Amino acid sequence: MDKIFINGGNPLKGEVNVSGAKNAVLAILPAAILAQDVCVIENVPDISDVAMMVRILHQLGARVKYINDNTLEIDTSTVNSYVVTHEMTKHMRASYYLIGTLISRFGRAKVAMPGGCNFGVRPIDQHIKGFEILGSVVDFRENAMINVNAENLSGGFVYLDIVSVGATINVMLAAVRAKGLTVIENAAKEPHIVDLANFLNSMGADIRGAGTDVIKIKGVDHLHGCTYSIIPDQIEAGTFMVAAAATRGEVLIKNVIPKHLESITAKLLQCGVYVEEFDDSILVKCTGRPKRCNVKTMPHPGFPTDMQPQFTTLLSIAEGTSIVSEGVWDNRFQYVDQLLRMGANITVNGKAATIEGVEHLNGSPVKGG
Ligand code: UD1
């Protein structure tokens, strides 16, 4: 699908079910390699990144099949390669999780540099630092490939200089079968980090503290298969919440964990939007024009950077002037040009955008990133 035609101007009304979390499943699927057994993963979202990760698992020798629309059965006992080529990874950031899992399983990994969205510079120095502290030798001499030799992984103290989701996950993956205790300090606390830790613990790992900034991992010799259900996607849920508000609609968003949405809920309430939380659903209703507010993105439990474009869009039709500051990525306002084509009044200055709310946006051809 290259083009999507949208006839706007209608309030969104009704109910919608949220899928499993993309950023959780993309860590959990490669983590299944550690089981050398059969894992059944439920609530798998139907997205192209999952299809790509499944293809990579196949190419590494795993047997993967859907047993229903959202449930994957993965037998990783047959995985027999630690090489992931550029062809396999070029469109996907999360391919770097294969480094952590493959060194943990085989003591070696040869993985092409990851692809993924362009939010500015995306270094992986903190991942590499963690692997090295656990006893790996990392070599970049082969063009665009990361070669890691990790014959004797052993636990260590890893202080992350930057709160990084990817580095926290990758060090956890490398540490679960390393000898002794690994401590990750200044760890990321995102819900998908807790989800990965819960999955690994269901396979027999010994991980404590996920969801706080100190994670302790005691290495175990062996992990086994399990059945596990992925958490709902915080960003998909948040996107529906903002869409309900932006169109002055009323939407019941189902299959969510309201706790994961607190920072988004707080900002919508500040904009005068009605939000009501239930056990596993959330109702968003908006009758008038949203009010202005300022937003700064931060690592969890701060406002998520992946919700920044959606919220800027909402604020572009809010009453008054809002400022959105990006606290995670260097270059995350590229989409603003497209909003300008629709009549928004936004000025970007480095990592902050000043938004003068307009009455409404107009239909226009726009380009997705
Ligand atoms: C993940 C998410 C992405 C989200 C981001 C922040 C996945 C597949 N993607 O990306 O959608 O926007 O978290 O919530 O889960 N950094 C370093 N060195 C490193 C690693 C990161 O300097 O070794 C910097 C990055 O440039 C960035 C910040 O740390 O400025 C956060 O990055 P990180 O949390 O690692 O993002 P990802 O895991 O790549």
Side-chain angles (χ1 to χ4, degrees), residues 22-24 26-27 49 92-97 117 119-129 160-169 188 190 192-193 234-235 298-300 304-307 326-330 332 351:
K22 172 194 146 193
N23 289 343
L26 291 179
D49 275 9
M92 199 180 25
R93 189 75 194 156
S95 55
Y96 53 34
Y97 295 145
C117 305
F119 305 148
V121 185
R122 299 188 73 170
I124 57 165
D125 56 301
Q126 299 301 306
H127 306 229
I128 304 301
K129 173 172 117 171
L160 297 177
D161 301 330
I162 288 183
V163 180
S164 159
V165 172
T168 303
I169 289 179
E190 269 65 4
H192 35 288
I193 292 191
Q234 176 201 29
I235 305 305
M298 278 188 281
H300 190 79
T305 173
D306 292 352
M307 282 301 301
E326 173 58 39
V328 178
W329 297 108
D330 292 336
R332 212 175 182 177
K351 288 168 73 170

Side-chain angles (χ1 to χ4, degrees), residues 111-271:
V111 176
M113 292 293 276
C117 305
N118 175 17
F119 305 148
V121 185
R122 299 188 73 170
I124 57 165
D125 56 301
Q126 299 301 306
H127 306 229
I128 304 301
K129 173 172 117 171
F131 297 147
E132 288 177 340
I133 290 171
L134 300 191
S136 308
V137 177
V138 185
D139 181 347
F140 290 96
R141 277 172 301 179
E142 195 176 330
N143 191 22
M145 293 297 278
I146 306 167
N147 262 293
V148 186
N149 214 320
E151 295 287 300
N152 294 305
L153 282 175
S154 53
F157 178 85
V158 180
Y159 175 82
L160 297 177
D161 301 330
I162 288 183
V163 180
S164 159
V165 172
T168 303
I169 289 179
N170 237 339
V171 176
M172 269 166 67
L173 291 168
V176 277
R177 292 178 70 231
K179 282 198 174 54
L181 178 70
T182 298
V183 179
I184 310 176
E185 280 264 11
N186 201 25
K189 298 182 280 222
E190 269 65 4
H192 35 288
I193 292 191
V194 179
D195 209 32
L196 174 67
N198 288 340
F199 173 64
L200 292 168
N201 284 341
S202 307
M203 293 200 295
D206 184 349
I207 303 175
R208 283 153 209 236
T212 75
D213 48 19
V214 183
I215 303 180
K216 294 186 176 159
I217 306 141
K218 269 195 204 142
V220 296
D221 290 336
H222 178 76
L223 296 172
H224 51 75
C226 68
T227 296
Y228 193 79
S229 186
I230 306 282
I231 52 164
D233 197 295
Q234 176 201 29
I235 305 305
E236 184 180 323
T239 303
F240 285 127
M241 290 168 77
V242 170
T247 60
R248 300 188 194 177
E250 180 171 345
V251 180
L252 180 68
I253 301 145
K254 302 201 299 193
N255 184 35
V256 301
I257 299 175
K259 176 115 192 84
H260 295 170
L261 303 169
E262 275 172 352
S263 59
I264 302 161
T265 299
K267 282 291 151 191
L268 285 174
L269 291 173
Q270 211 178 321
C271 292

Side-chain angles (χ1 to χ4, degrees), residues 15-69:
E15 299 183 357
V16 65
N17 262 309
V18 170
S19 326
K22 172 194 146 193
N23 289 343
V25 77
L26 291 179
I28 285 173
L29 294 181
I33 290 177
L34 299 175
Q36 302 185 49
D37 194 358
V38 178
C39 291
V40 175
I41 316 289
E42 300 167 341
N43 203 29
V44 174
D46 181 13
I47 54 174
S48 60
D49 275 9
V50 164
M52 277 187 263
M53 189 58 90
V54 165
R55 201 159 53 234
I56 293 174
L57 290 174
H58 268 299
Q59 285 167 324
L60 292 173
R63 295 199 194 103
V64 190
K65 64 174 188 213
Y66 275 95
I67 52 180
N68 66 41
D69 280 356

